[in-house]
Amino acid sequence: VEYSPLPPAERLVAVLLEVVPALSALYHLHPSTLRADARTFAFGVLYDGDRLPPMELWFAGRHLAAAVALQVELTDLIALPTHNQLKLVRSGRRLWARDQTAELYEHTLTRAEDVLRDQQARLLADIASTIEAVKRPASERSTEPSLRPDA
């Protein structure tokens, strides 16, 4: 497979701003993270607002593809689950940001991941503690509060 070079970021952004004036950031994503064809350029977009409406996203992708004469796949990062947003932002490369919104977005994602990992660690510790308590002989467990709701 022969790969086309990535067009200059300025060109990509200029074309996208024609149809998505509220664009706040553009990320170049690795095709394997989206299960895209290796000849497809995959991009993630941040948009000023909650989400980019699906038809606008599709239209923007077609507009960009026509302008740069390449296969393009656009993904609205905010529309994805947090885990997928993290995966795409970490494996991709930010090509452009209008202001500090993209940095704030990336910081917020990282913080959310930290909180989720902390909650997961506490939950796993509780599960391990419960398993250990259940494994003890009944005579050792009688002094502890019961783990069953009916007791």
Side-chain angles (χ1 to χ4, degrees), residues 91 127 150:
S91 65
I127 292 169
D150 60 335

Side-chain angles (χ1 to χ4, degrees), residues 111-124:
R111 179 70 185 124
E113 180 186 39
D114 292 344
V115 168
L116 289 172
R117 286 189 182 190
D118 183 54
Q119 290 173 347
Q120 180 186 36
R122 283 186 283 158
L123 179 61
L124 291 173

Side-chain angles (χ1 to χ4, degrees), residues 49-98:
D50 289 338
R51 291 181 57 189
L52 189 60
M55 288 305 294
E56 285 185 42
L57 182 67
W58 179 84
F59 179 75
R62 300 296 58 88
H63 182 72
L64 181 60
V68 296
L70 297 169
Q71 293 179 18
V72 170
E73 181 174 339
L74 284 184
T75 299
D76 181 358
L77 294 173
I78 298 299
L80 300 174
T82 303
H83 172 76
N84 291 0
Q85 290 179 46
L86 276 162
K87 181 180 173 184
L88 293 177
V89 168
R90 285 192 173 144
S91 65
R93 183 177 57 135
R94 186 177 356 131
L95 298 177
W96 174 84
R98 176 186 324 195

Side-chain angles (χ1 to χ4, degrees), residues 7-36:
E10 298 81 19
R11 170 86 172 116
L12 298 169
V13 171
V15 169
L16 282 174
L17 285 172
E18 291 172 4
V19 291
V20 185
L23 183 70
S24 62
L26 178 66
Y27 292 83
H28 178 228
L29 308 173
H30 192 276
S32 66
T33 59
L34 294 174
R35 294 187 206 146

